[in-house]
Amino acid sequence: MFSKVLIANRGEIALRVTRACRELGLKTVGIFSDSDANLLHLRFVDQKVALGGNSPLESYLNIDKVVEACLLTRADAVHPGYGFLSENALFAQKLQENNIVFIGPSVDVLRTMKNKLLTKKILHQAGIPVVPGSLEPLHSEEEALSVARELGFPVLLKACLGGGGRGIRVVASEKELKDAFRSASREAKMAFGSSDLYLEKQIERARHIEVQILADNFGNVVHLGERECSLQRKRQKVLEEAPAHFLDAGLRSEILKCAVKAAQALNYTTCGTLEFLVTEDGNFYFMELNARIQVEHPVTEMITGVDIVREQIKAASGEKLPFNQEDIAFRGHAIEMRINAEDPFRNFTPSPGRITRFEIPRGPGIRVDSHCYSGYVVPPYYDSLIAKLIVWDENRDFALRRSYEALHSFFVEGISTTIPFHLRILQNEDFVRGCFHTRFIEEDFVME
Ligand code: ADP
Ligand code: ADP
Ligand code: MG
């Protein structure tokens, strides 16, 4: 096992990881930007290093600074959380060169995975169904046009190195394609450092179903079931559930089997998530692999009782998985609501600032993952996630009711949050009946 883990992140995930390390008896190092000196996890770490600066590029995305912090504190492992450097192959490689373990998949896997298209191609070759589209980067507008005609409009232009809901553009018709291709490649070059694009058929009224994987260095791969993440806004997840209640049992077991096969084909290790799109007529396609702990991992923890972060750290340190597939049992239903510092009544504009009151709901089946407290100031420089409310109950129906009650005793004052938005979602008949898809919020849901 490691002796000292540097937590290369901020916010709720930094706190989650700090606790997981301490529970394993590991020493911890926190890093922070100028505006983040008051982060909650910094009270519990053994050492902390000021990175300086505020923007991600000056701080949490700055490979040199983070590696230097590791060397300074003699950390022998790094937990990257999600976002920031969590899927960065260059970072993982620099750590390796310094004999520091990156708590995540191997440098080789990260290098492949960085390119969403390459991953898709490898899995296609391994016999995994992938979303219909090009399997090589598009070389020209003409090529894009002929691929798009074959697929049928609307299509999606995706940046090979895109992520975080960015780098995806809908193209509705032939006449839009030329301009879209040009500006998308320009934008991809700016945002991700490569102008490479690929095309995918736009799957209408699809569901986003993903599978949580745990894998050790000995070839053992176990899945922890699936999550329903179709409730999205601008291609970003808003609320997640486990299990995917509306998936029929046959299809579920096919998707789970497929996910394990895909992880094996990639020699995947530690924890990861395979994302699939499921069509209305019951087909499913691999979409992408997230090579890190995900924001929504708690819903899976609630129904399996497995501490995913703990198992991720243990697997990275070279331990064997402590269970087989048969040992994993599923119980009840869990829902996660992402509470963001945004104003849902003003088109979700960010709402940073001082939180004057922060009171969380309590009681059976209620979990809040958050770094916030009364008096905490939400800085404007980072992701707007301030808390995750995770609710467990014996079935979906009760989990929905418990979620609704819990939201009513979640008090955040001083800034705007998405709590009122979640309350309305939970009252929406279609959502409650399970009639929703990835474009539901944009197309069928009205805020007031
Ligand atoms: P999850 O399924 O874990 O929610 P997301 O794709 O929403 O995954 O990403 C989690 C976090 O990482 C979000 O804060 C998102 O903004 C950020 N993120 C993910 N990929 C990238 C990327 N390529 N560039 C910048 N931020 C990213
Ligand atoms: P990111 O790396 O940003 O998470 P994804 O490829 O996972 O990008 O796509 C983000 C979201 O966009 C998906 O969860 C889904 O809602 C939607 N999406 C992606 N590809 C398609 C597609 N081919 N058809 C329909 N929706 C899609
Ligand atoms: Mg995705």
Side-chain angles (χ1 to χ4, degrees), residues 80 86-89 92 96 101-111 113 217 266-272 289-293 312 316:
S86 61
E87 293 173 286
N88 191 302
Q96 199 175 53
V101 176
F102 175 80
I103 301 177
S106 68
V107 175
D108 279 346
V109 167
L110 287 174
R111 238 184 241 133
M113 296 257 336
N217 296 345
L266 291 165
N267 287 320
Y268 196 84
T269 53
T270 69
C271 75
L289 169 51
N290 289 329
R292 55 177 152 86
I293 189 77
Q312 177 191 25

Side-chain angles (χ1 to χ4, degrees), residues 314-360:
K314 284 163 62 189
S317 79
E319 287 188 25
K320 264 202 176 117
L321 283 184
F323 35 63
N324 302 316
Q325 193 63 61
E326 305 77 65
D327 301 324
I328 306 295
F330 301 94
R331 194 168 153 254
H333 193 90
I335 300 175
E336 174 184 273
M337 288 140 278
R338 297 193 188 199
I339 316 291
N340 291 341
E342 293 168 0
D343 187 346
F345 299 105
R346 287 175 49 221
N347 202 27
F348 296 86
T349 39
S351 176
R354 184 177 298 276
I355 298 177
T356 52
R357 180 182 180 203
F358 192 76
E359 246 178 87
I360 64 172

Side-chain angles (χ1 to χ4, degrees), residues 141-154:
E141 293 158 28
E142 292 71 33
E143 190 186 346
L145 190 60
S146 85
V147 175
R149 277 190 186 136
E150 222 170 285
L151 292 170
F153 288 88

